Amino acid sequence: MAVQFGHIAGYPTGSPFKNREELRIAGLHSQNMAGISGNAKTGADAIVVSGGYVDDADYGEIIIYTGHGGRDPNTGRQIRDQELIDSGNAALVRSELEGLPVRVIRGRHNKRHHQSPFAPSSGYRYDGLYRVESHWAKMGVDGFRVWQFRLVKLKDGEVSTPKDTSPASIDQYAVGPAPVTTSIMQRIVRNSMIAHIVKSWYSHECQVCGLAIQVEGGLYSEGAHIRGLGQPHHGPDVPENLLCLCPNDHVRFDNGAIYLTDELHVMDALTGQAVGQLRVHKNHKIDLRHVAYHRECWTKD
Amino acid sequence: MAVQFGHIAGYPTGSPFKNREELRIAGLHSQNMAGISGNAKTGADAIVVSGGYVDDADYGEIIIYTGHGGRDPNTGRQIRDQELIDSGNAALVRSELEGLPVRVIRGRHNKRHHQSPFAPSSGYRYDGLYRVESHWAKMGVDGFRVWQFRLVKLKDGEVSTPKDTSPASIDQYAVGPAPVTTSIMQRIVRNSMIAHIVKSWYSHECQVCGLAIQVEGGLYSEGAHIRGLGQPHHGPDVPENLLCLCPNDHVRFDNGAIYLTDELHVMDALTGQAVGQLRVHKNHKIDLRHVAYHRECWTKD
């Protein structure tokens, strides 16, 4: 079954399924066993959430989903580290980086794990489209490293053809035979009054590379939280937890391509080498606990 | 009256006002006459929409708002070009670049202009917070250049403190005495299946600078529409109207800091000099009509 993104015709949100085989035949999920449908090249088009991982957490519109691999098939416990290069995990990263919609299918929870109030009482249920907002590593409850993904439910207006435009037919580019969602959010940059203050200290110059993007009428920069806001990171929206970055370095920082040492050296995660020193304004007291939290999300040790 | 962002305590969305003086005293809008409240340094915190400009268009949740300047005070018609450097216009650009919320106040329309179904029948009404999504120049109906701003209404969930975090008090950083909105969207990057195809042609390398942002697990790039989607540009979501750009060049392109010639030279708008040649894949037929449309939004001639 080919990977195909978006809703599947004939199966609206809430559709029930008896088992994985029905899901596969309907085209909602390409796998019989694995939780993640898709691969590193095309991205992930669907996941099954069934509480198989003790590190999972389901808040309804927000899901913390543990990646694939390293689990004992009999006990369900982690027995070695997960790798991001694993096909399922890499597929979710690709969906995050590209802004591809992921179908979420919830399954009845196995009795040995915690019960989610959002799980169906039997079988499986298609629960609509989510986007992969971010990912990070953490030490799982079984003592091995797992990768986790934060998925956020897409609202109706976030998965549609803009109503006030007249797009040409996109059938010729469709990945599969199903209707293709035209546009979803790939990345959202938020601003807050706190970020406003931090950016003003730097006159919008990136703390990593020094660039301030200049357009007619002003300068542009982004406020990057060192420890993320919201579930599950709970980082605070305070200057001690914010950096002023250019968009390119913001993407790099949020995806762990760069991280900071306690001496505020900027490290390239791919080479493990220092690539510079973070620029820090005299008013800006950066909290090293948040720096360590971010680093632990992206480094092996 | 100081510039203060966000809702003003005691005046919920829908609040009516008899006149501009009442609005000013309540702290909703700092000016007695001008439509734009704010300045180039702080950004714009409020606008009055009253149909004074013939190029305005009000679609309810989307407003096309014409900038300040160049108008005959007696006839209301444009008698010379508007400048982006004008304080009110520069204030709206600052709010766009920073992601600052703008209060929209609708006023009864003057009889000599078209009537908006969204305008109150008398006086003024506070209609909630909008974000400035984009701006551009065009030849107004009176034959002079005007600047226009696309404002999009913020939904409740887009103007709030994340519920699942525990922010420290931000009172000490508040710009004004009123409650400050904690976080609003500054920039949204969308993806579509069409953008997915275009990005794959370039292996995510920016068509302007050649950079592909590399993170563990994959490459990152953004699809940039040459002629914008939706009101009022109505650009199509087709490969001929898309570029594969890095985030930094995407911000530059969308704000007119770079534009293209018909020979696909990349021009720096600030210097008027060519800074390179657009990289173009053999499968990528770029529609020069869209290139000309974008260029006309940002160049004087």
Side-chain angles (χ1 to χ4, degrees):
Chain A
M1 188 69 67
V3 171
Q4 46 188 331
F5 293 96
H7 295 296
I8 303 293
Y11 299 98
T13 299
S15 296
F17 297 85
K18 284 206 184 72
N19 51 44
R20 294 292 301 263
E21 178 73 0
E22 277 193 6
L23 281 166
R24 193 181 59 74
I25 290 168
L28 262 79
H29 195 290
S30 63
Q31 303 292 313
N32 272 327
M33 290 287 287
I36 302 166
S37 168
N39 59 62
K41 188 160 180 290
T42 62
D45 63 342
I47 59 170
V48 169
V49 178
S50 53
Y53 281 80
V54 291
D55 296 296
D56 281 359
D58 191 342
Y59 303 97
E61 301 210 337
I62 295 171
I63 294 170
I64 311 300
Y65 188 76
T66 306
H68 180 79
R71 200 158 59 127
D72 182 303
N74 294 315
T75 66
R77 301 197 86 87
Q78 289 299 128
I79 51 173
R80 57 178 178 277
D81 287 348
Q82 291 187 345
E83 298 298 334
L84 200 57
I85 202 170
D86 178 285
S87 171
N89 301 338
L92 281 171
V93 173
R94 171 84 346 244
S95 290
E96 176 191 334
L97 293 178
E98 287 253 17
L100 299 169
V102 177
R103 286 183 296 277
V104 164
I105 298 142
R106 285 192 174 87
R108 183 178 69 85
H109 277 201
N110 188 310
K111 284 207 184 63
R112 77 176 162 241
H113 298 302
H114 64 285
Q115 301 296 303
S116 159
F118 301 100
S121 54
S122 70
Y124 295 87
R125 186 184 63 225
Y126 172 49
D127 278 347
L129 299 174
Y130 285 62
R131 68 187 192 91
V132 186
E133 190 187 74
S134 60
H135 69 285
W136 62 91
K138 69 166 230 179
M139 194 57 70
V141 297
D142 290 326
F144 292 95
R145 176 193 183 82
V146 296
W147 285 98
Q148 294 200 298
F149 299 86
R150 179 181 154 109
L151 288 95
V152 179
K153 188 161 191 180
L154 291 164
K155 296 179 177 63
D156 287 344
E158 294 169 351
V159 200
S160 64
T161 306
K163 285 196 185 60
D164 56 4
T165 185
S166 312
S169 166
I170 61 167
D171 292 346
Q172 56 188 313
Y173 307 104
V175 175
V180 174
T181 55
T182 300
S183 160
I184 79 161
M185 291 195 289
Q186 174 182 356
R187 179 162 178 265
I188 303 172
V189 179
R190 291 182 176 279
N191 186 49
S192 69
M193 285 299 145
I194 306 302
H196 184 66
I197 306 256
V198 172
K199 290 189 276 188
S200 74
W201 287 339
Y202 294 94
S203 302
H204 301 281
E205 288 179 6
C206 175
Q207 289 184 251
V208 167
C209 72
L211 175 72
I213 292 185
Q214 190 172 4
V215 306
E216 196 187 352
L219 300 165
Y220 180 90
S221 63
E222 298 178 356
H225 287 94
I226 301 170
R227 178 174 183 149
L229 298 178
Q231 297 284 10
H233 308 299
H234 299 289
D237 190 31
V238 296
E240 294 76 10
N241 189 36
L242 270 164
L243 299 175
C244 171
L245 298 180
C246 74
N248 284 1
D249 281 319
H250 194 179
V251 169
R252 289 188 183 100
F253 188 80
D254 279 357
N255 289 282
I258 51 177
Y259 63 89
L260 300 172
T261 66
D262 281 349
E263 297 75 31
L264 299 181
H265 297 314
V266 180
M267 305 294 289
D268 181 329
L270 297 168
T271 64
Q273 301 294 309
V275 291
Q277 178 73 25
L278 194 76
R279 292 156 170 81
V280 183
H281 186 273
K282 63 179 166 46
N283 291 350
H284 196 188
K285 314 296 180 204
I286 293 171
D287 191 329
L288 293 179
R289 294 171 301 174
H290 302 316
V291 167
Y293 181 93
H294 175 269
R295 187 169 63 234
E296 286 161 15
C297 286
W298 301 106
T299 57
K300 296 266 178 188
D301 308 305
Chain B
M1 187 68 70
V3 171
Q4 45 187 334
F5 292 97
H7 294 295
I8 303 294
Y11 300 98
T13 300
S15 295
F17 297 85
K18 284 205 185 73
N19 50 46
R20 292 291 302 264
E21 179 71 3
E22 276 194 8
L23 281 166
R24 194 181 60 76
I25 289 168
L28 264 79
H29 195 289
S30 62
Q31 302 293 312
N32 272 327
M33 289 287 287
I36 302 166
S37 168
N39 59 62
K41 187 158 181 292
T42 61
D45 64 342
I47 59 170
V48 169
V49 179
S50 54
Y53 281 80
V54 290
D55 296 296
D56 280 0
D58 191 342
Y59 304 98
E61 301 210 338
I62 295 171
I63 294 170
I64 311 300
Y65 188 76
T66 306
H68 180 79
R71 202 160 57 130
D72 181 302
N74 293 315
T75 66
R77 304 196 83 90
Q78 289 299 130
I79 51 172
R80 57 178 179 276
D81 287 348
Q82 290 187 347
E83 298 299 332
L84 201 57
I85 203 171
D86 178 285
S87 172
N89 301 337
L92 281 170
V93 172
R94 172 84 346 245
S95 290
E96 176 191 334
L97 294 177
E98 288 252 17
L100 299 169
V102 178
R103 287 183 296 278
V104 164
I105 298 142
R106 286 192 174 87
R108 184 179 69 85
H109 277 202
N110 189 309
K111 283 205 183 68
R112 73 175 165 240
H113 298 302
H114 64 287
Q115 299 297 305
S116 159
F118 303 99
S121 54
S122 70
Y124 295 88
R125 185 183 64 225
Y126 172 49
D127 278 347
L129 300 173
Y130 285 61
R131 69 187 192 89
V132 186
E133 190 186 74
S134 60
H135 70 285
W136 63 90
K138 69 168 230 180
M139 193 57 68
V141 298
D142 289 326
F144 292 95
R145 177 193 182 83
V146 296
W147 285 97
Q148 294 200 298
F149 299 87
R150 179 180 154 112
L151 288 96
V152 180
K153 188 162 190 177
L154 291 163
K155 296 177 178 63
D156 287 344
E158 294 169 352
V159 200
S160 65
T161 307
K163 286 197 184 59
D164 56 5
T165 187
S166 314
S169 166
I170 61 168
D171 290 347
Q172 57 189 312
Y173 306 104
V175 175
V180 174
T181 55
T182 301
S183 160
I184 79 159
M185 291 195 290
Q186 174 181 357
R187 180 163 176 262
I188 304 171
V189 180
R190 293 182 174 277
N191 186 48
S192 69
M193 285 300 146
I194 305 301
H196 184 65
I197 305 254
V198 171
K199 290 188 275 189
S200 73
W201 288 339
Y202 293 93
S203 302
H204 301 281
E205 288 177 7
C206 176
Q207 288 183 252
V208 167
C209 72
L211 174 71
I213 292 185
Q214 189 171 4
V215 305
E216 197 188 353
L219 299 165
Y220 179 90
S221 63
E222 298 179 356
H225 287 93
I226 301 170
R227 179 174 182 149
L229 298 176
Q231 296 282 13
H233 308 300
H234 298 289
D237 190 32
V238 296
E240 294 77 9
N241 189 37
L242 272 163
L243 299 175
C244 172
L245 298 180
C246 73
N248 284 0
D249 281 318
H250 193 178
V251 169
R252 289 188 183 101
F253 188 79
D254 279 358
N255 289 283
I258 50 177
Y259 63 89
L260 300 172
T261 66
D262 281 348
E263 297 74 33
L264 300 180
H265 298 314
V266 180
M267 305 294 290
D268 181 328
L270 297 168
T271 64
Q273 301 294 308
V275 290
Q277 178 74 25
L278 194 76
R279 293 155 169 82
V280 183
H281 186 272
K282 63 180 166 49
N283 292 350
H284 196 187
K285 313 297 181 204
I286 293 171
D287 191 328
L288 292 180
R289 293 172 302 176
H290 302 318
V291 167
Y293 182 93
H294 175 269
R295 187 170 62 234
E296 286 161 14
C297 285
W298 300 107
T299 57
K300 295 267 179 189
D301 307 306

